[in-house]
Amino acid sequence: MRTPFVAANWKMHKTVQEAVDYARSFLPLVETVSDVDIVLAPSFLALPALAEATAHSRIGVAAQNVSAEPHGAFTGEVSLGMLHAVGVTQVIIGHSERRQLSGETDAGVNAKSRAAIDAGLTPIVCVGETLDERETDRTFDVLDRQVGKGLAGLTPEQVAALVVAYEPVWAIGTGRVATPDQADAVHRHIREHLTSHFGDTSASACRVIYGGSVKPGNAAELMARADVDGALVGGASLDPVSFAAIVTASRPSTR
Ligand code: PGA
């Protein structure tokens, strides 16, 4: 049994104060939830304050990106050591917006994932096809490449402990959500890929979560699918009540 993993990706939203206010409203809403791993990913600036505000809860705090380099002349970058020092426990790697807008490559995703694991942080590795790739029947090829290259060189134990987020690019921020059948087919494919490269034990432990226009109204039917182990939520995570509803819909007892 995989514990559901539900993460809020706030992208470039919320000041430090807004992040702390959010935590104040959100924590009581999920206080009794012990069967879902919950993670909040604010901007870099809000990480220390949010880590402090959630310190006595089960909620983890994730960065939205990181450098693979330990230190040095990398203007504008943030290292894993810096994140670790303020209590960050996970890091989103290879989000499609970073792939599209900031030139993130599969090799970069691989370097960051390895470095994150070495530093004791859990990578949330994002993969997903564009609309054009889906319409020209290349979805599985694209995912095989992204997962294959992104996780290359990791051990089965390391893969078992990380999170893969399947986020079809055409569903992110568009309100156009993958159907449960579409999501399930891809999640099963990713798990088969993991099985053939890292073995059955590793593939059955690795959480494969879905992202792309997840809302309180569609979360339950997505989470009901056997291979959908949680969600990475953008827009609908900005409101604590809405995100708490998605967390509730992901609980094994309600799935
Ligand atoms: P969305 O974003 O929920 O707003 O579609 C998801 C994501 O980009 O992680």
mmCIF file of all heavy atoms in Angstrom, residues 9 11 95-97 167 171-175 211-215 232-236, ligand 1:
data_model
loop_
_atom_site.group_PDB
_atom_site.id
_atom_site.type_symbol
_atom_site.label_atom_id
_atom_site.label_comp_id
_atom_site.label_asym_id
_atom_site.label_seq_id
_atom_site.Cartn_x
_atom_site.Cartn_y
_atom_site.Cartn_z
ATOM 1 N N ASN A 9 1.691 23.188 -5.472
ATOM 2 C CA ASN A 9 2.718 23.947 -6.176
ATOM 3 C C ASN A 9 2.182 25.370 -6.355
ATOM 4 O O ASN A 9 1.355 25.614 -7.227
ATOM 5 C CB ASN A 9 3.000 23.285 -7.528
ATOM 6 C CG ASN A 9 3.982 24.084 -8.369
ATOM 7 O OD1 ASN A 9 4.607 25.030 -7.879
ATOM 8 N ND2 ASN A 9 4.120 23.710 -9.631
ATOM 9 N N LYS A 11 3.745 27.948 -7.338
ATOM 10 C CA LYS A 11 4.385 28.702 -8.433
ATOM 11 C C LYS A 11 4.765 30.106 -7.936
ATOM 12 O O LYS A 11 5.174 30.250 -6.789
ATOM 13 C CB LYS A 11 3.462 28.723 -9.655
ATOM 14 C CG LYS A 11 3.018 27.298 -10.016
ATOM 15 C CD LYS A 11 2.276 27.192 -11.311
ATOM 16 C CE LYS A 11 1.902 25.721 -11.538
ATOM 17 N NZ LYS A 11 1.246 25.492 -12.815
ATOM 18 N N HIS A 95 9.722 20.606 -13.580
ATOM 19 C CA HIS A 95 8.347 21.027 -13.887
ATOM 20 C C HIS A 95 8.289 21.506 -15.340
ATOM 21 O O HIS A 95 9.241 22.116 -15.837
ATOM 22 C CB HIS A 95 7.913 22.142 -12.934
ATOM 23 C CG HIS A 95 6.459 22.455 -13.059
ATOM 24 N ND1 HIS A 95 5.969 23.263 -14.044
ATOM 25 C CD2 HIS A 95 5.388 22.020 -12.360
ATOM 26 C CE1 HIS A 95 4.646 23.325 -13.936
ATOM 27 N NE2 HIS A 95 4.272 22.575 -12.912
ATOM 28 N N SER A 96 7.174 21.267 -16.013
ATOM 29 C CA SER A 96 7.102 21.595 -17.450
ATOM 30 C C SER A 96 7.312 23.081 -17.692
ATOM 31 O O SER A 96 7.834 23.476 -18.744
ATOM 32 C CB SER A 96 5.780 21.130 -18.041
ATOM 33 O OG SER A 96 4.735 21.909 -17.540
ATOM 34 N N GLU A 97 6.928 23.928 -16.721
ATOM 35 C CA GLU A 97 7.161 25.362 -16.924
ATOM 36 C C GLU A 97 8.660 25.652 -16.933
ATOM 37 O O GLU A 97 9.131 26.533 -17.664
ATOM 38 C CB GLU A 97 6.424 26.169 -15.837
ATOM 39 C CG GLU A 97 4.930 26.221 -16.125
ATOM 40 C CD GLU A 97 4.047 26.348 -14.903
ATOM 41 O OE1 GLU A 97 4.532 26.735 -13.832
ATOM 42 O OE2 GLU A 97 2.839 26.038 -15.033
ATOM 43 N N GLU A 167 2.409 15.065 -15.366
ATOM 44 C CA GLU A 167 1.664 16.293 -15.607
ATOM 45 C C GLU A 167 1.590 16.555 -17.114
ATOM 46 O O GLU A 167 2.515 17.143 -17.686
ATOM 47 C CB GLU A 167 2.356 17.472 -14.931
ATOM 48 C CG GLU A 167 2.446 17.334 -13.427
ATOM 49 C CD GLU A 167 2.520 18.702 -12.770
ATOM 50 O OE1 GLU A 167 3.474 19.442 -13.046
ATOM 51 O OE2 GLU A 167 1.605 19.030 -12.019
ATOM 52 N N ALA A 171 -2.749 19.942 -19.774
ATOM 53 C CA ALA A 171 -3.721 19.995 -18.675
ATOM 54 C C ALA A 171 -3.315 20.986 -17.588
ATOM 55 O O ALA A 171 -4.094 21.267 -16.679
ATOM 56 C CB ALA A 171 -3.888 18.603 -18.063
ATOM 57 N N ILE A 172 -2.100 21.530 -17.684
ATOM 58 C CA ILE A 172 -1.608 22.394 -16.617
ATOM 59 C C ILE A 172 -2.169 23.801 -16.762
ATOM 60 O O ILE A 172 -1.935 24.474 -17.763
ATOM 61 C CB ILE A 172 -0.066 22.436 -16.600
ATOM 62 C CG1 ILE A 172 0.479 21.042 -16.245
ATOM 63 C CG2 ILE A 172 0.439 23.478 -15.622
ATOM 64 C CD1 ILE A 172 1.983 20.954 -16.272
ATOM 65 N N GLY A 173 -2.937 24.201 -15.772
ATOM 66 C CA GLY A 173 -3.463 25.558 -15.741
ATOM 67 C C GLY A 173 -4.484 25.849 -16.819
ATOM 68 O O GLY A 173 -4.841 27.003 -17.047
ATOM 69 N N THR A 174 -4.975 24.818 -17.493
ATOM 70 C CA THR A 174 -5.897 25.034 -18.609
ATOM 71 C C THR A 174 -7.342 24.723 -18.241
ATOM 72 O O THR A 174 -8.253 25.033 -18.995
ATOM 73 C CB THR A 174 -5.531 24.112 -19.793
ATOM 74 O OG1 THR A 174 -5.590 22.741 -19.320
ATOM 75 C CG2 THR A 174 -4.144 24.402 -20.315
ATOM 76 N N GLY A 175 -7.546 24.057 -17.102
ATOM 77 C CA GLY A 175 -8.888 23.624 -16.734
ATOM 78 C C GLY A 175 -9.271 22.350 -17.466
ATOM 79 O O GLY A 175 -10.326 21.774 -17.245
ATOM 80 N N GLY A 211 -0.801 15.517 -12.052
ATOM 81 C CA GLY A 211 -0.958 16.961 -11.949
ATOM 82 C C GLY A 211 -1.510 17.531 -13.237
ATOM 83 O O GLY A 211 -1.230 17.024 -14.334
ATOM 84 N N GLY A 212 -2.317 18.583 -13.124
ATOM 85 C CA GLY A 212 -2.922 19.221 -14.302
ATOM 86 C C GLY A 212 -4.385 19.444 -14.058
ATOM 87 O O GLY A 212 -5.192 18.536 -14.227
ATOM 88 N N SER A 213 -4.719 20.667 -13.587
ATOM 89 C CA SER A 213 -6.110 21.068 -13.353
ATOM 90 C C SER A 213 -6.856 20.160 -12.376
ATOM 91 O O SER A 213 -8.051 19.926 -12.531
ATOM 92 C CB SER A 213 -6.865 21.184 -14.679
ATOM 93 O OG SER A 213 -6.269 22.190 -15.489
ATOM 94 N N VAL A 214 -6.134 19.649 -11.359
ATOM 95 C CA VAL A 214 -6.821 18.908 -10.293
ATOM 96 C C VAL A 214 -7.590 19.915 -9.442
ATOM 97 O O VAL A 214 -7.069 20.968 -9.078
ATOM 98 C CB VAL A 214 -5.819 18.128 -9.402
ATOM 99 C CG1 VAL A 214 -6.554 17.451 -8.241
ATOM 100 C CG2 VAL A 214 -5.059 17.105 -10.217
ATOM 101 N N LYS A 215 -8.856 19.580 -9.172
ATOM 102 C CA LYS A 215 -9.737 20.455 -8.390
ATOM 103 C C LYS A 215 -10.474 19.587 -7.372
ATOM 104 O O LYS A 215 -10.531 18.362 -7.538
ATOM 105 C CB LYS A 215 -10.789 21.100 -9.303
ATOM 106 C CG LYS A 215 -10.249 21.799 -10.544
ATOM 107 C CD LYS A 215 -9.945 23.250 -10.276
ATOM 108 C CE LYS A 215 -9.462 23.983 -11.517
ATOM 109 N NZ LYS A 215 -8.045 24.104 -11.692
ATOM 110 N N LEU A 232 -0.311 16.622 -7.771
ATOM 111 C CA LEU A 232 0.470 17.856 -7.689
ATOM 112 C C LEU A 232 -0.475 18.946 -8.183
ATOM 113 O O LEU A 232 -0.932 18.916 -9.325
ATOM 114 C CB LEU A 232 1.724 17.768 -8.570
ATOM 115 C CG LEU A 232 2.654 18.977 -8.588
ATOM 116 C CD1 LEU A 232 3.084 19.391 -7.183
ATOM 117 C CD2 LEU A 232 3.911 18.672 -9.416
ATOM 118 N N VAL A 233 -0.784 19.891 -7.290
ATOM 119 C CA VAL A 233 -1.887 20.814 -7.545
ATOM 120 C C VAL A 233 -1.368 22.244 -7.626
ATOM 121 O O VAL A 233 -0.701 22.715 -6.704
ATOM 122 C CB VAL A 233 -2.937 20.718 -6.408
ATOM 123 C CG1 VAL A 233 -4.169 21.531 -6.769
ATOM 124 C CG2 VAL A 233 -3.303 19.272 -6.113
ATOM 125 N N GLY A 234 -1.680 22.921 -8.720
ATOM 126 C CA GLY A 234 -1.294 24.318 -8.871
ATOM 127 C C GLY A 234 -2.419 25.235 -8.401
ATOM 128 O O GLY A 234 -2.617 25.473 -7.213
ATOM 129 N N GLY A 235 -3.205 25.727 -9.357
ATOM 130 C CA GLY A 235 -4.240 26.729 -9.088
ATOM 131 C C GLY A 235 -5.130 26.431 -7.884
ATOM 132 O O GLY A 235 -5.344 27.299 -7.026
ATOM 133 N N ALA A 236 -5.613 25.194 -7.804
ATOM 134 C CA ALA A 236 -6.561 24.858 -6.736
ATOM 135 C C ALA A 236 -5.896 24.690 -5.372
ATOM 136 O O ALA A 236 -6.580 24.476 -4.371
ATOM 137 C CB ALA A 236 -7.332 23.587 -7.102
HETATM 138 P P1 PGA B 1 -2.617 23.355 -12.204
HETATM 139 O O1 PGA B 1 -1.008 23.199 -12.119
HETATM 140 O O2 PGA B 1 -3.182 22.502 -11.089
HETATM 141 O O3 PGA B 1 -2.879 24.811 -12.019
HETATM 142 O O4 PGA B 1 -3.026 22.838 -13.529
HETATM 143 C C1 PGA B 1 -0.418 21.969 -11.837
HETATM 144 C C2 PGA B 1 1.074 22.094 -11.865
HETATM 145 O O5 PGA B 1 1.618 22.818 -12.707
HETATM 146 O O6 PGA B 1 1.779 21.470 -11.041
#
